[in-house]
Amino acid sequence: MATIVLLQEGEAIPYPVGDGESVIGRHPDCTIQLKLNTISRRHARFTKRDGQYYIEDLGSGNGTVVNGTQLEKEKPHPLNHQDRIKFGPMLLRFECEESRPAASAPSAPAPAPAPVRIPVGGDDFGVTVNFADEEDDEAEIMGTLASTGGGFGMLEVQPEVKLKAVIDITRSLCGETNLDAMLPAILDTLFRVFPHADRGCVLLKDPEKGGEMVPRAFKHRREGEDATVRLSRTILKKVLEEKTGILSADAANDDQFDASESISNLAIRSMMCVPLLDKETEPIGVINIDTMNPVTQFTSEDLDLLMTVAGQAALTYENARLMKSFLEKQKQDGEMNIAQGVQQALLPETLPQPPGWKFYASYDSAQAVGGDYYDAFDLGDGKFVLSFGDISGKGVPGAIIMSRMSSCVQSTLQFTHDPLEAVNAINKHMCANAAEGRFVTYNFVLLDINTNEISLVNAGHMSPMVLKPDGTIDEFPEDSIGLPIGVMEGYPYEVEKRIIDPGETMILFTDGVDEAMNPDGELYTLERMRELIRKGPRDPEELGKILLADVRRHANGRPQNDDITIMIFGRDG
């Protein structure tokens, strides 16, 4: 099995490549779907023959490059491990275990895992945790106690002691929302409940590390003593899988044991390890405490008490975590509302309405903020600019690039009104400050109502449609479509000119229109859009609203997967 790794925005996103045929492209039917405008609907194909992987460009618009070499169309090219693949500006890496060179000599045994450093309260106290593997595990399980599912243990056993401990830990954690401060407070309470405990630690699952157990807090009773916590992987696994509290003992210095030594030097470690369970009784971590005192070893009653205290501690911690998530979500929602208002302010409040012409525009983002963009400028002397684009990606990253694009266009038009000169300046600026993998498909339209002529520069965007009075639709030639803005500085863009005759209407749109999907995954398609436009009204506002309503009707309740932006203008008949 091979893998291609998408390198984007500092992330490495893997996509598996099967042993048969895998097609990569923008269309939902592709084996690997990448929703980027630089990717063609069916861009390239991976195949495996006789143990060798090949890549083949399927006639894509932006081409396929392997290790700096442009591939010929529909000609398979062999791939090797760590080959670099580019689809337009997008970079990928090919990885294949089968093509790794064989080792010349047997590899040395893997070194033992290094001790884990535990930060406590933001400081480093030199505490380490060693995990004993099964073959080195000297721990002997002395007793177990299953969780009751309620988190409080069996209250009919030692009810007064348990209730006092629950009240104690509740008071200790009451009102605390700092999760990092809660964990040491839990250990402080446990040391009061178990005065003979020497060391204690809390380990929590880290979702960012695949659920790996990570030490988060540590406490030892006496300064200067050995601060190494020794945990058994076998016990840890049993606690997490069976949601069971475990009481165990081991010989901490078995290899140095001398029968003539006194009992005070025997150093038999007694340890308790219990799970921390969330509201769904799923383990989120463990609490481990131990003692080196041979006289005051832990008992089954101690384990029962620890399970009760741990249950209350886990629920309190989980409540605080949920509250923190809720407050963060509220803050993010508030910030997103502000960002939405800022983005709306970047869009024009009104559109030009010169005599004999009508304009309409609508903007519907898939998220609170989006990556589509439109603007309109009155340059004076009967000339107007329509600026229309689609930033790669949506949400906050797209909105940030959208704001940059908006300010860049506005500042550029302060110095030039020539379409080609303006687009070249905009592209130069966006290339000089390009974010990794971010670009803009863009239409720049200059309308001169004195001559009824438009001048169009198309930078990687879909061709606008021109609806004629007889119901036919004109589109601009594909060879007039250049690279998106922000891809290559100095690209030679072209200007297409056309007279807008009486009764003609021009429609600009983003791919959120033709690629809107229904619950069955079917696209709206350009064909359906053309058919609706042919039969639709000639008034720009009426046509725009009917088109948007038909897209919504096709989606049939499926959440919007991309920003939908439409701009229509037309000349009176």
Side-chain angles (χ1 to χ4, degrees), residues 130-179:
N130 286 337
F131 290 99
D133 291 321
E134 294 183 8
E135 59 270 18
D136 300 322
D137 197 347
E138 299 170 350
E140 178 183 355
I141 297 178
M142 310 295 292
T144 63
L145 182 64
S147 168
T148 62
F152 299 103
M154 301 175 63
L155 289 176
E156 62 269 21
V157 180
Q158 294 183 296
E160 298 89 352
V161 177
K162 287 182 178 179
L163 183 58
K164 182 179 182 301
V166 168
I167 293 174
D168 191 10
I169 198 149
T170 302
R171 285 175 174 171
S172 299
L173 304 180
C174 181
E176 183 62 71
T177 58
N178 185 338
L179 299 182

Side-chain angles (χ1 to χ4, degrees), residues 287-308:
I287 295 178
N288 183 92
I289 62 174
D290 65 22
T291 179
M292 299 297 289
N293 191 329
V295 178
T296 56
Q297 301 289 287
F298 292 124
T299 65
S300 57
E301 288 80 9
D302 291 328
L303 180 62
D304 188 22
L305 180 58
L306 180 59
M307 284 287 286
T308 302

Side-chain angles (χ1 to χ4, degrees), residues 92-411:
L92 302 99
R93 182 176 67 242
F94 178 76
E95 295 183 352
C96 181
E97 296 293 333
E98 300 171 11
S99 64
R100 292 184 184 274
S104 57
S107 58
V116 183
R117 305 291 293 179
I118 308 179
V120 183
D123 297 321
D124 189 350
F125 290 89
V127 178
T128 60
V129 174
N130 286 337
F131 290 99
D133 291 321
E134 294 183 8
E135 59 270 18
D136 300 322
D137 197 347
E138 299 170 350
E140 178 183 355
I141 297 178
M142 310 295 292
T144 63
L145 182 64
S147 168
T148 62
F152 299 103
M154 301 175 63
L155 289 176
E156 62 269 21
V157 180
Q158 294 183 296
E160 298 89 352
V161 177
K162 287 182 178 179
L163 183 58
K164 182 179 182 301
V166 168
I167 293 174
D168 191 10
I169 198 149
T170 302
R171 285 175 174 171
S172 299
L173 304 180
C174 181
E176 183 62 71
T177 58
N178 185 338
L179 299 182
D180 292 332
M182 287 186 73
L183 300 178
I186 290 173
L187 292 177
D188 289 341
T189 303
L190 290 177
F191 271 50
R192 291 194 297 269
V193 175
F194 302 101
H196 50 297
D198 289 321
R199 285 182 297 265
C201 68
V202 178
L203 293 86
L204 297 181
K205 285 185 176 181
D206 190 340
E208 297 181 359
K209 296 183 179 181
E212 177 184 342
M213 297 300 298
V214 177
R216 293 288 301 276
F218 176 85
K219 180 178 177 65
H220 57 88
R221 191 173 296 279
R222 290 173 290 276
E223 296 294 333
E225 69 176 6
D226 179 14
T228 300
V229 176
R230 192 167 171 274
L231 293 179
S232 161
R233 290 187 186 275
T234 304
I235 289 178
L236 190 61
K237 181 179 180 182
K238 185 178 180 66
V239 170
L240 293 173
E241 291 182 353
E242 301 181 12
K243 306 173 189 178
T244 300
I246 291 181
L247 171 66
S248 76
D250 64 12
N253 297 290
D254 186 65
D255 56 343
Q256 300 177 8
F257 176 72
D258 186 336
S260 63
E261 291 189 67
S262 66
I263 192 171
S264 61
N265 293 325
L266 188 55
I268 300 295
R269 183 173 72 110
S270 177
M271 180 270 288
M272 294 187 294
C273 187
V274 299
L276 292 168
L277 305 178
D278 62 15
K279 294 181 182 297
E280 286 73 37
T281 69
E282 291 300 319
I284 59 174
V286 299
I287 295 178
N288 183 92
I289 62 174
D290 65 22
T291 179
M292 299 297 289
N293 191 329
V295 178
T296 56
Q297 301 289 287
F298 292 124
T299 65
S300 57
E301 288 80 9
D302 291 328
L303 180 62
D304 188 22
L305 180 58
L306 180 59
M307 284 287 286
T308 302
V309 176
Q312 176 63 20
L315 290 179
T316 305
Y317 180 85
E318 183 71 358
N319 286 335
R321 188 187 66 81
L322 293 174
M323 176 58 71
K324 181 180 179 182
S325 298
F326 174 73
L327 294 175
E328 290 176 349
K329 179 66 166 57
Q330 278 194 320
K331 181 180 178 182
Q332 290 173 357
D333 289 345
E335 291 174 348
M336 289 303 294
N337 289 334
I338 295 173
Q340 188 177 43
V342 171
Q343 186 173 52
Q344 290 293 329
L346 294 176
L347 302 176
E349 293 184 3
T350 59
L351 295 174
Q353 296 295 339
W357 294 81
K358 292 181 180 179
F359 289 75
Y360 168 80
S362 68
Y363 180 89
D364 294 87
S365 59
Q367 301 176 17
V369 292
D372 283 0
Y373 154 74
Y374 76 89
D375 208 342
F377 304 90
D378 185 349
L379 302 180
D381 297 329
K383 294 182 180 181
F384 301 86
V385 165
L386 304 181
S387 184
F388 191 87
D390 184 357
I391 287 81
S392 62
K394 49 186 177 290
V396 175
I400 294 173
I401 304 299
M402 178 268 200
S403 64
R404 283 187 49 209
M405 184 70 181
S406 174
S407 61
C408 178
V409 172
Q410 292 186 27
S411 61

